[in-house]
Amino acid sequence: MRPYWLMNFPPVWSIWVFLTVFGVTYWLDQWFPVAVFTGLRTLLIFLASLVFGAWRVIAFYPYPAGKYGRWLTMTPWQFGTRLPNGSIQLNASDMLTVGLLCSITLWDHDISIVTPLAIFLYTYIICATYSTFSGIPWRKYWLKKVLIAAIMPFAFYPVVSVYSMVISLAVCYWLCFSLLREVLKDFPWNQIAWLQSDEEVLTKKSLKTFIAGWPYSALAAIEKKEPRIKNRICEILVPILLAVWWLHAMMALTLDKNCFPLSFILVCIALLGIGIRLSCYLTGTAPPISLWGRIFNGYFIIPKYDRIFLAPLLVVILVFFAVYFMPESTQYAVWIFELTIFALLVILRGFPPSLDQWRQTGAFRIVRSKMIEKQASQVINKPKTVFEKNPVDLLMGK
Amino acid sequence: MKSIISVRNVWHHYGISPVLKNVSLEIESGKLVVVMGPNGMGKSTLLGLIGGTIYPIRGEVEIDGKIRRSSIENESAIRRQLVYLPDTPFFPPNSTGMEFILAVARLYEIDSFRAMEHAEVLLGVFDLKEKAHSPISSYSTGQQKKLGLCSALITEVPILVLDEPFSGGLDSAALLAMSKILKMLAAREDVTVVMAVPVPELVEPLADKVVIIGDGEIIAYDTPAAIKQQAGGEDILLAEALESLVHPDKINIIDQYLKERKS
């Protein structure tokens, strides 16, 4: 049996596969010395670091809906003792694996020795942070998640440098380490209690409504308490600010900003956003009256229905002005672009009516939507987790 | 007696011509009201408006003092106390009958054990016990109709809105069961039933009041006896009363046709 610290070492077969492919490219390089083989080896190191970073989380994190997580809830495991499958936190065996990948870069000197470490850590931090969303309301531990997302771009913003990368990675890893500890401390995750008190109740309800078919699914009395205005502003603004911050940092990466057809990208993003918003609002609904009916009967505006078109209209006006007044100077154009993206996201996400308000008070006809029918026929085939089962099913041994 | 359902000055169009024209209706709590009328005259639209799947172009629908779709709180409260079963509901095909009924019960926050017990009884009443654990896709049209009725009844809500519950291939046993259940519900003062029925004879002994719709307007709204009286006498059938109120010439045309065929 492997010692505990070696349980996170990658499977032997994967090391063999890596070394064999690496060896074959090296052998071919001897016979056909072309640059493509060096590039292949670099790509291989990139991929290996990426896959290892993701595997380190996926294989060792006890996801509540996964087999490991469900099994763990049946055991007396608690925070402070070792996780039976191996640690989720990084340890000596990871240093060994990543150290090996880093030393291999010395073979070709094509990439920096710290590149595999940076890729591994980035992937690990992103996957570990994302994993803490699984089965847990996203509002829990939100501060650390937001900080990780906000600090990460400093690795390459305003300029790519080893120092900024090391500092940002170190801070993000510390936050991620502390986040994972906090999450594991709460194990076994009391999902049911959270579901009762949180908006996640909707997810639970949606499962019921899909099975309940039409019109029950559409007429279900799902009452979602509107979050307080402060929370609502945070819910809308924080993700949008993060998205725009990432966009800004990524755009700063490309020195030659002329390569961006900014106006075109802006129009595409606006159309995509409008499409997503309208499909969310209009799925399963039909206008109260046909267009001809409106024209012939003089119902040109039906306020309780037409209000959902206000946000898309505002976005169209905003984008029109942004494109029209887009300055020649690339530097200012990027600012206008980013500000417009921020404004259009705020409008699309936050302009009234909210989705819940619309579904309960909109002047539409409720119709059977093909998409919901499809979901209804699929959802029952989805294997249920212990949390999704109702007490009757559990008693019946289903 | 207090009105539990009020339909006030409702107009509704799907296209150019109106389906309902300035319809007003007050339904008292604890009554069984049957909506009748020829095809395409607005029965299902009226039930859809009460049931909440349709929003009127003009006018308003009030359920137990709350106007439909006026606010999230009002709409949620209405949805908790009213169930609407359309003529052709959609059932998730891969789900079993039992799963479907229990899912509906859970939506209406019926205690799981109580729902389980009630579901067993309902499935027995409608001869669906053997199919209870089979996927709904294997059910016949009549069996799906029965399942829809079970799903409406399991909710235990005080207001039932049923669109043509007797149609769709129900066998005689199911018709009898449904009649008896409706009779029981009609006798209760805390349950209000509104349903559209094309065959008047089935509901004549059950209905407290009958609404007759013709050409998008309410032609008559009264007890079956009063409607017969209005149509020409207590001895006539309710179907004849319906025809003479909606199409006054129709009876004459039929009589004329029969006379010609005899001679």
Side-chain angles (χ1 to χ4, degrees):
Chain A
M1 191 181 164
R2 282 196 280 185
Y4 187 72
W5 69 274
L6 262 182
M7 286 178 93
N8 303 112
F9 202 68
V12 179
W13 65 264
S14 63
I15 297 168
W16 276 115
V17 169
F18 175 78
L19 290 176
T20 310
V21 178
F22 198 86
V24 166
T25 56
Y26 182 70
W27 180 73
L28 286 170
D29 212 0
Q30 303 297 310
W31 293 96
F32 315 101
V34 282
V36 70
F37 293 116
T38 319
L40 262 178
R41 281 197 293 278
T42 307
L43 182 71
L44 201 63
I45 294 169
F46 261 87
L47 279 178
S49 313
L50 197 88
V51 171
F52 181 56
W55 176 79
R56 246 333 244 106
V57 178
I58 294 164
F60 297 95
Y61 184 80
Y63 291 93
K67 278 183 186 170
Y68 178 37
R70 274 187 283 167
W71 170 77
L72 205 62
T73 53
M74 310 294 175
T75 68
W77 183 83
Q78 54 186 351
F79 180 74
T81 55
R82 288 171 165 180
L83 274 166
N85 275 9
S87 174
I88 181 68
Q89 310 284 12
L90 299 185
N91 57 21
S93 80
D94 300 309
M95 281 174 67
L96 188 66
T97 316
V98 179
L100 277 170
L101 284 169
C102 289
S103 56
I104 285 174
T105 58
L106 296 173
W107 200 287
D108 287 319
H109 292 288
D110 205 36
I111 48 170
S112 159
I113 189 166
V114 292
T115 309
L117 175 67
I119 295 171
F120 165 75
L121 276 178
Y122 265 120
T123 320
Y124 172 83
I125 292 167
I126 290 170
C127 290
T129 311
Y130 185 72
S131 297
T132 58
F133 285 89
S134 166
I136 296 171
W138 72 268
R139 276 206 212 107
K140 280 225 150 218
Y141 326 110
W142 67 273
L143 185 64
K144 281 178 183 153
K145 292 174 193 170
V146 168
L147 280 175
I148 290 170
I151 293 168
M152 271 192 137
F154 281 110
F156 49 85
Y157 180 84
V159 283
V160 185
S161 87
V162 175
Y163 297 112
S164 60
M165 194 177 276
V166 168
I167 293 169
S168 75
L169 273 176
V171 176
C172 285
Y173 179 67
W174 177 77
L175 284 167
C176 179
F177 177 82
S178 137
L179 173 67
L180 282 173
R181 274 179 68 84
E182 213 176 319
V183 171
L184 289 174
K185 237 180 218 174
D186 287 342
F187 193 87
W189 300 306
N190 188 1
Q191 287 198 323
I192 302 296
W194 287 341
L195 287 172
Q196 294 307 318
S197 62
D198 210 276
E199 67 175 320
E200 289 290 311
V201 78
L202 274 178
T203 322
K204 180 100 175 127
K205 285 266 186 186
S206 67
L207 195 76
K208 289 180 199 168
T209 53
F210 286 145
I211 300 173
W214 190 89
Y216 298 113
S217 52
L219 287 173
I222 297 170
E223 196 174 4
K224 184 188 166 192
K225 279 188 185 137
E226 286 280 310
R228 282 178 301 166
I229 189 74
K230 197 176 135 199
N231 288 350
R232 190 162 158 69
I233 290 171
C234 286
E235 269 178 30
I236 293 168
L237 279 187
V238 171
I240 292 173
L241 280 171
L242 280 175
V244 175
W245 161 229
W246 269 84
L247 180 78
H248 176 72
M250 298 294 272
M251 286 183 79
L253 254 184
T254 314
L255 296 173
D256 177 19
K257 293 185 185 69
N258 286 326
C259 66
F260 293 118
L262 290 178
S263 301
F264 176 71
I265 295 175
L266 198 56
V267 171
C268 289
I269 292 175
L271 288 177
L272 185 73
I274 290 171
I276 292 171
R277 181 173 159 115
L278 285 182
S279 67
C280 287
Y281 278 71
L282 294 177
T283 302
T285 72
I289 183 168
S290 71
L291 188 64
W292 285 118
R294 269 194 192 212
I295 294 166
F296 276 89
N297 292 294
Y299 299 118
F300 297 111
I301 291 175
I302 303 172
K304 280 189 97 173
Y305 182 76
D306 295 332
R307 62 188 164 149
I308 54 152
F309 299 109
L310 275 179
L313 187 68
L314 272 177
V315 168
V316 169
I317 294 168
L318 178 78
V319 170
F320 172 79
F321 279 105
V323 170
Y324 193 77
F325 293 109
M326 189 73 83
E328 291 283 314
S329 155
T330 313
Q331 195 189 348
Y332 293 116
V334 168
W335 277 104
I336 295 281
F337 173 76
E338 286 166 4
L339 280 173
T340 314
I341 294 281
F342 174 76
L344 82 83
L345 288 177
V346 169
I347 293 171
L348 289 174
R349 179 72 183 83
F351 199 83
S354 69
L355 195 55
D356 296 299
Q357 220 171 11
W358 163 252
R359 283 188 180 153
Q360 307 246 28
T361 64
F364 51 82
R365 270 186 295 139
I366 297 176
V367 292
R368 276 159 47 169
S369 109
K370 288 274 169 220
M371 205 171 86
I372 290 174
E373 284 182 13
K374 203 175 162 191
Q375 279 168 322
S377 54
Q378 281 170 352
V379 77
I380 204 75
N381 293 331
K382 199 182 102 182
K384 286 179 187 169
T385 67
V386 72
F387 302 109
E388 288 168 352
K389 288 189 173 184
N390 72 61
V392 176
D393 288 345
L394 284 171
L395 276 175
M396 289 177 77
K398 278 191 179 178
Chain B
M1 199 180 263
K2 184 189 148 202
S3 286
I4 198 153
I5 300 171
S6 302
V7 178
R8 291 192 209 109
N9 312 110
V10 162
W11 285 76
H12 193 71
H13 304 245
Y14 293 106
I16 295 167
S17 47
V19 181
L20 292 179
K21 297 176 215 165
N22 202 23
V23 167
S24 292
L25 182 69
E26 297 284 330
I27 295 173
E28 290 159 359
S29 175
K31 299 286 179 199
L32 193 149
V33 175
V34 176
V35 181
M36 295 197 304
N39 297 334
M41 292 289 166
K43 294 191 301 288
S44 293
T45 303
L46 180 63
L47 262 61
L49 283 164
I50 297 171
T53 55
I54 301 169
Y55 187 80
I57 293 291
R58 251 197 255 168
E60 60 188 22
V61 176
E62 191 181 277
I63 310 288
D64 199 17
K66 297 168 204 87
I67 293 171
R68 280 222 90 133
R69 300 204 199 172
S70 57
S71 69
I72 293 182
E73 294 75 30
N74 280 354
E75 184 60 21
S76 299
I78 292 170
R79 287 179 182 195
R80 267 195 293 272
Q81 62 180 141
L82 181 146
V83 70
Y84 168 58
L85 182 69
D87 184 22
T88 49
F90 167 74
F91 302 101
N94 300 328
S95 172
T96 68
M98 180 63 97
E99 278 172 337
F100 169 70
I101 295 179
L102 291 178
V104 175
R106 283 204 297 277
L107 267 187
Y108 286 81
E109 289 167 352
I110 306 287
D111 172 70
S112 295
F113 291 95
R114 185 183 164 84
M116 190 74 188
E117 211 176 305
H118 195 179
E120 290 277 354
V121 176
L122 280 172
L123 290 168
V125 166
F126 286 100
D127 286 327
L128 287 176
K129 251 190 174 165
E130 281 178 19
K131 297 280 280 183
H133 299 287
S134 309
I136 298 173
S137 54
S138 69
Y139 285 38
S140 69
T141 315
Q143 284 171 327
Q144 289 194 6
K145 190 80 196 177
K146 291 177 185 176
L147 191 65
L149 293 170
C150 291
S151 70
L153 293 170
I154 203 160
T155 58
E156 299 182 13
V157 292
I159 306 168
L160 287 165
V161 181
L162 311 171
D163 195 359
E164 308 213 356
F166 292 107
S167 66
L170 282 187
D171 53 34
S172 56
L175 284 173
L176 183 70
M178 196 58 207
S179 304
K180 287 197 167 181
I181 289 169
L182 286 171
K183 203 169 187 178
M184 180 270 288
L185 292 173
R188 283 176 59 173
E189 290 202 346
D190 56 342
V191 179
T192 308
V193 183
V194 185
M195 58 184 184
V197 178
V199 191
E201 277 62 42
L202 280 171
V203 289
E204 197 176 343
L206 307 170
D208 290 312
K209 279 192 169 183
V210 174
V211 180
I212 294 178
I213 291 192
D215 202 19
E217 288 172 299
I218 292 183
I219 296 172
Y221 176 41
D222 219 323
T223 59
I227 283 184
K228 281 195 226 170
Q229 193 72 44
Q230 199 180 329
E234 277 178 15
D235 303 334
I236 60 169
L237 296 169
L238 192 58
E240 284 174 324
L242 170 72
E243 281 308 319
S244 65
L245 286 170
V246 181
H247 304 294
D249 301 334
K250 192 86 167 271
I251 304 275
N252 292 338
I253 295 168
I254 296 169
D255 287 345
Q256 184 69 33
Y257 171 76
L258 291 175
K259 208 185 267 176
E260 280 169 14
R261 297 296 291 174
K262 257 186 194 170
S263 61

